[in-house]
């Protein structure tokens, strides 16, 4: 029998059973259907290796289960419609089991594996699998109100609902597998193999873990990476959890003792492992994910999280890189501020570093270092409480260490040898291009509530103008204007409090420079025109990196014998673009002159988004 006939016979004989098992594992028929399809495509891609197994199902099943579990995690349990009440009851009972208990039960009851073989597939001791199986059997019997000896009957009955899954013809599977074989790069091959780690490094549970412990975790010694098995293909050079950062390598983020807390595949819990992470996966259609969490001893209090995602293509990995950067560049969680941004050269295909701070007590600073190598994206988030953050160079060195194993797998062992870091404007925030974002704003004194920005709109009348500058962008020659206001709702501040920004784009840099000169002249004559106004802290400065020029002032206007209103006023020009910032504080809800000048320069950096 030829290879095609052999594969077609195997596919036809096993696909329905595999959909059945995978559906029971996740309760999600859509996830089961797509995972089984992709697992068989991978099997034809690697048919020489898969068919060398005594039973090729042992090659396909781990892939299908891992893919289904990953794709199911964003969905509700038994999302599939049209299932019977009895099947729903069985799926509910399965859903109450831990993942390891469920896998042990289904491997023995539906896949028909002896306990010893199930233990090898789960990478667990046989005694531990027996415990999982006993606990699962007892729980299912109680929840379904049946005798444990009859448990297989309702599990087998799920096959009727699984029949609704539509699977391609064998020839279509083979064509997809052949295309994959032709087009995949070295990294793609390792990624496909990586998915095959049937729980591998991250499905091990320590003997001390309680039965309800998260089954996707691995507990590791304080100074060593988690143990892992080689991928199914048997190529020990392919990355596993052992290729993630170790406790020694992460110590570059803080010279104090570190330990690995856990390593997992991010398919349990809510999947949000770091501040501002907005989704479980940066690439929701990716092949696999690993997450490793670290904690330091002593002071200052530090922790770190490394995430590694494998995509199906370089293009998808590039999108995942942008998505992950976007989480931290446009975050709006509490009093969050993006402090600095850096470009990282000499690490992978592209890399970046962001330093962010959450001003809630205790004040916490995060260093977010992210890199892409081929079809892999990895990022490490270091957390420091009550201290200055780790210097950027040390963070980048840690990023390079996390990327080095990926470089070796991609065939470019030197892609993380000489990292360098340089300050750059912040990445796009996802808010209005060219204008400040909520993440750009410093805290307003001791106010605990966060800033909120209004929707940007054309500035037909300049809402940022004061009686001193009397700036009118439209009359001054701007061909395009936008304005936005930032407030702190719920803080019980006077109505005059807030920050307003107006941006104007002129026909030329000369026109913009002329407009800014006129504004400076107006402010210089303000005290002569308005005797109730005093002008303080006049400063002019520039940023050579962004080629911006800026001016700031503090204004005080006496509105009555007992009341004086204060404003901070700033203008910044980058080429033919000008931004005006006007901040009206209220009592202690204020910002320092340095904070305001830094914010004006950030506004200049944002103007670069309009080029």
């Amino acid at each position: 029998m030829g290879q095609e006939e052999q594969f077609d016979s195997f596919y036809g004989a096993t696909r329905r059973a595999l959909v059945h098992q995978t559906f029971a594992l996740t309760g999600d028929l859509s996830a089961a259907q797509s995972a089984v399809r992709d697992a068989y495509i991978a099997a034809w891609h690697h048919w020489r290796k898969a068919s060398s197994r005594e039973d090729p199902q042992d090659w396909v099943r781990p892939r299908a289960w891992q893919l289904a579990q990953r794709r199911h995690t964003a969905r509700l349990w038994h999302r599939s419609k049209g299932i019977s009440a009895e099947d729903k009851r069985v799926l509910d009972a399965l859903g109450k089991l831990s993942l390891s208990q469920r896998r042990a039960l289904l491997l023995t009851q539906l896949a028909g594996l002896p306990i010893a073989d199930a233990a090898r597939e789960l990478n667990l001791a046989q005694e531990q699998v027996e415990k999982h199986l006993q606990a699962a059997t007892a729980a299912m019997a109680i929840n379904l109100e049946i005798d444990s000896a009859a448990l297989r009957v309702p599990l087998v009955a799920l096959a009727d609902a699984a029949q609704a899954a539509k699977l391609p013809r064998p020839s279509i599977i083979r064509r997809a597998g052949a295309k994959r074989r032709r087009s995949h790069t070295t990294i793609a091959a390792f990624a496909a193999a990586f998915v095959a780690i049937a729980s591998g490094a991250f499905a091990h549970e320590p003997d001390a873990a309680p039965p309800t412990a998260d089954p996707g975790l691995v507990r590791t010694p304080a100074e060593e990476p988690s143990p892992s098995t080689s991928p199914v293909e048997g190529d020990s050079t392919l990355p596993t959890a052992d290729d993630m950062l170790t406790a020694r390598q992460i110590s570059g983020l803080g010279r104090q003792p570190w330990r690995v807390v856990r390593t997992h595949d991010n398919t349990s819990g809510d999947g949000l492992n770091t501040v501002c992470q907005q989704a479980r996966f940066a690439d929701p259609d990716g092949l696999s994910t690993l997450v490793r969490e670290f904690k330091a001893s002593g002071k200052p209090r530090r922790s770190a999280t490394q995430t590694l995602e494998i995509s199906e293509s370089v293009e998808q990995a590039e999108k995942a890189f942008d998505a992950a950067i976007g989480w931290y560049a446009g975050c709006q969680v509490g009093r969050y501020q993006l402090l600095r941004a850096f470009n990282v050269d000499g690490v992978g295909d592209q890399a970046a570093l962001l330093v962010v701070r959450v001003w809630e007590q205790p004040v916490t600073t995060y260093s977010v270092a992210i890199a892409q190598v081929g079809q892999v994206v990895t990022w490490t988030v270091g957390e420091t409480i009550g201290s200055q953050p780790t210097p950027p160079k040390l963070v980048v060195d840690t990023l390079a260490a996390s990327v080095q194993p990926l470089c070796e797998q991609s065939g470019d062992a030197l892609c993380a040898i000489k990292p360098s870091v340089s300050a750059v404007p912040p990445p796009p925030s996802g808010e209005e291009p060219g204008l400040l974002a909520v993440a750009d704003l410093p805290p307003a004194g001791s106010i605990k509530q966060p800033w909120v920005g209004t929707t940007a709109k054309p500035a037909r009348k300049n809402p940022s103008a004061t009686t001193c500058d009397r700036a009118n962008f439209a009359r001054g020659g701007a061909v395009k204007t936008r304005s936005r206001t930032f407030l702190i709702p719920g803080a019980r501040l006077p109505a005059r409090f807030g920050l307003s920004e107006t941006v104007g784009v002129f026909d030329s840099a000369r026109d913009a420079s002329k407009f800014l000169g006129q504004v400076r002249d107006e402010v210089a004559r303000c005290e002569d025109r308005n005797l109730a106004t005093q002008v303080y802290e006049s400063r002019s400065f520039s940023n050579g990196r962004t080629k911006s020029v800026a001016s700031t002032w503090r204004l005080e206007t006496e509105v009555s014998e007992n009341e004086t209103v204060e404003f901070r006023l700033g203008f910044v020009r980058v080429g033919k673009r000008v931004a005006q910032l006007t901040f009206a504080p209220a009592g202690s809800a204020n910002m320092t002159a340095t904070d305001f000048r830094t914010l004006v320069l950030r506004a200049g950096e944002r103007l670069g988004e309009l080029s």
Side-chain angles (χ1 to χ4, degrees):
M1 181 184 295
Q3 285 193 346
E4 290 186 356
E5 292 82 359
Q6 184 186 27
F7 175 83
D8 290 357
S9 176
F10 166 70
Y11 177 66
T14 60
R15 60 180 183 172
R16 285 298 170 191
L18 187 54
V19 170
H20 178 192
Q21 298 162 20
T22 311
F23 175 48
L25 178 72
T26 62
D28 187 335
L29 190 56
S30 175
Q33 175 180 294
S34 64
V36 168
R37 177 199 63 214
D38 290 349
Y40 278 108
I41 288 173
W44 179 245
H45 181 186
H46 299 285
W47 186 240
R48 180 178 59 81
K49 295 177 181 178
S51 62
S52 67
R53 294 299 188 90
E54 182 176 343
D55 185 349
Q57 287 188 88
D58 295 339
W59 196 98
V60 180
R61 180 177 53 250
R63 286 164 173 73
W65 284 26
Q66 177 71 10
L67 283 171
Q69 179 64 23
R70 190 180 194 277
R71 294 172 185 180
H72 156 69
T73 52
R75 304 182 176 101
L76 296 175
W77 181 253
H78 62 66
R79 184 187 181 191
S80 309
K81 298 178 181 180
I83 59 174
S84 68
E86 182 58 29
D87 287 344
K88 181 178 182 297
R89 188 163 166 260
V90 175
L91 292 172
D92 279 336
L94 285 167
K96 293 176 182 178
L97 303 178
S98 74
L99 185 57
S100 290
Q101 291 172 352
R102 206 181 317 145
R103 283 172 169 166
L105 180 69
L106 298 178
L107 282 174
T108 55
Q109 293 292 324
L110 290 185
L113 266 62
I115 290 181
D117 293 345
R120 278 194 294 273
E121 185 158 317
L122 293 175
N123 193 34
L124 297 174
Q126 184 171 330
E127 295 78 9
Q128 196 168 3
V129 174
E130 290 174 346
K131 291 180 181 178
H132 286 321
L133 185 58
Q134 291 171 0
T137 301
M140 291 289 289
I142 293 172
N143 288 328
L144 296 179
E145 300 178 343
I146 60 174
D147 188 272
S148 59
L151 178 58
R152 191 169 183 273
V153 174
L155 295 176
V156 170
L158 291 174
D160 291 339
Q163 289 292 323
K166 296 180 181 180
L167 294 172
R169 297 189 302 274
S171 59
I172 295 176
I173 293 291
R174 283 191 279 103
R175 280 200 299 272
K179 181 179 179 181
R180 176 178 179 150
R181 185 183 301 128
R182 289 192 301 269
S183 63
H184 270 209
T185 61
T186 300
I187 288 290
F190 106 64
F194 199 113
V195 166
I197 306 173
S199 306
F202 42 81
H204 173 70
E205 291 183 76
D207 293 338
T212 57
D214 189 335
L217 309 184
V218 56
R219 305 284 173 180
T220 60
E223 293 295 331
E224 298 297 331
S226 61
S228 67
T229 59
S230 296
V232 174
E233 274 79 355
D235 185 348
S236 61
T237 66
L238 298 179
T240 68
D242 289 333
D243 295 296
M244 301 187 79
L245 289 170
T246 66
R248 291 188 182 92
Q249 290 172 319
I250 203 73
S251 64
L253 298 183
R255 301 301 182 185
Q256 53 201 106
W258 288 78
R259 62 186 174 89
V260 176
V261 177
R262 61 173 184 163
T263 305
H264 56 96
D265 62 358
N266 208 30
T267 58
S268 299
D270 63 11
L272 305 182
N273 305 292
T274 65
V275 64
C276 289
Q277 186 175 343
Q278 296 170 23
R280 184 181 295 272
F281 304 117
D283 179 3
D285 298 318
L287 296 173
S288 188
T289 296
L290 280 174
V291 178
R292 175 162 288 175
E293 299 173 12
F294 305 84
K295 192 166 186 176
S297 301
K299 294 196 175 179
R301 285 186 287 166
R302 299 185 192 268
S303 60
T305 302
Q306 182 193 3
T307 302
L308 186 150
E309 288 199 14
I310 303 171
S311 298
E312 289 188 340
S313 68
V314 173
E315 292 75 15
Q316 287 301 108
E318 290 171 348
K319 293 179 181 178
F321 179 90
D322 291 341
I325 285 287
W327 290 344
Y328 305 101
C331 184
Q332 297 188 27
V333 175
R335 292 192 296 163
Y336 175 100
Q337 186 183 8
L338 172 58
L339 299 180
R340 303 176 71 190
F342 300 88
N343 183 60
V344 180
D345 288 320
V347 176
D349 297 325
Q350 58 178 332
L353 167 63
L354 303 179
V355 180
V356 304
R357 181 166 291 161
V358 176
W359 291 96
E360 313 294 343
Q361 293 296 328
V363 174
T364 305
T365 305
Y366 299 87
S367 299
V368 182
I370 179 168
Q372 177 222 340
V373 184
Q375 292 168 249
V376 183
V377 174
T378 184
W379 66 93
T380 300
V381 179
E383 176 186 87
T384 304
I385 298 176
S387 176
Q388 292 298 314
T390 305
K393 181 62 169 63
L394 296 180
V395 179
V396 169
D397 287 344
T398 303
L399 178 66
S402 71
V403 167
Q404 187 56 40
L406 309 178
C407 294
E408 295 169 357
Q409 295 301 328
S410 71
D412 182 5
L414 302 179
C415 83
I417 294 298
K418 295 181 178 180
S420 63
V421 60
S422 57
V424 294
S429 66
E431 298 179 49
E432 180 75 14
L435 273 72
L436 289 172
V438 170
D440 295 323
L441 307 188
S446 60
I447 300 299
K448 296 181 179 180
Q449 289 81 1
W451 288 98
V452 174
T454 62
T455 302
K457 58 184 180 181
R460 295 181 178 89
K461 291 184 178 180
N462 181 11
S464 304
T466 70
T467 56
C468 259
D469 61 90
R470 301 193 292 191
N472 188 310
F473 281 76
R475 282 207 303 264
V479 295
K480 179 182 178 181
T481 60
R482 301 289 283 175
S483 67
R484 192 179 190 198
T485 299
F486 298 88
L487 304 168
I488 304 182
R492 296 182 180 179
L493 294 168
R496 69 172 183 271
F497 173 86
L499 174 72
S500 178
E501 180 183 20
T502 301
V503 168
V505 180
F506 295 78
D507 280 328
S508 67
R510 181 178 179 180
D511 290 344
S513 180
K514 179 181 178 181
F515 173 77
L516 189 53
Q518 293 170 345
V519 166
R520 287 173 176 154
D521 290 343
E522 288 288 339
V523 177
R525 295 194 297 266
C526 182
E527 291 181 347
D528 295 332
R529 291 195 321 268
N530 188 345
L531 299 180
T533 297
Q534 298 293 316
V535 179
Y536 303 97
E537 300 175 18
S538 176
R539 289 283 304 272
S540 292
F541 47 96
S542 62
N543 184 331
R545 177 168 47 81
T546 58
K547 298 181 179 179
S548 63
V549 291
S551 297
T552 59
W553 303 266
R554 182 170 66 86
L555 314 177
E556 287 188 1
T557 299
E558 186 177 318
V559 295
S560 69
E561 291 185 1
N562 300 318
E563 184 179 7
T564 299
V565 176
E566 178 183 347
F567 294 96
R568 289 195 180 275
L569 175 65
F571 284 83
V572 59
R573 180 180 68 84
V574 179
K576 62 180 182 180
R577 301 170 296 276
V578 176
Q580 176 181 2
L581 296 185
T582 302
F583 174 56
S588 62
N590 205 337
M591 62 179 74
T592 66
T594 299
D595 282 345
F596 185 71
R597 286 194 292 269
T598 301
L599 187 60
V600 170
L601 288 176
R602 174 61 60 84
E605 292 179 326
R606 291 293 184 191
L607 287 176
E609 298 172 359
L610 298 175
S611 60

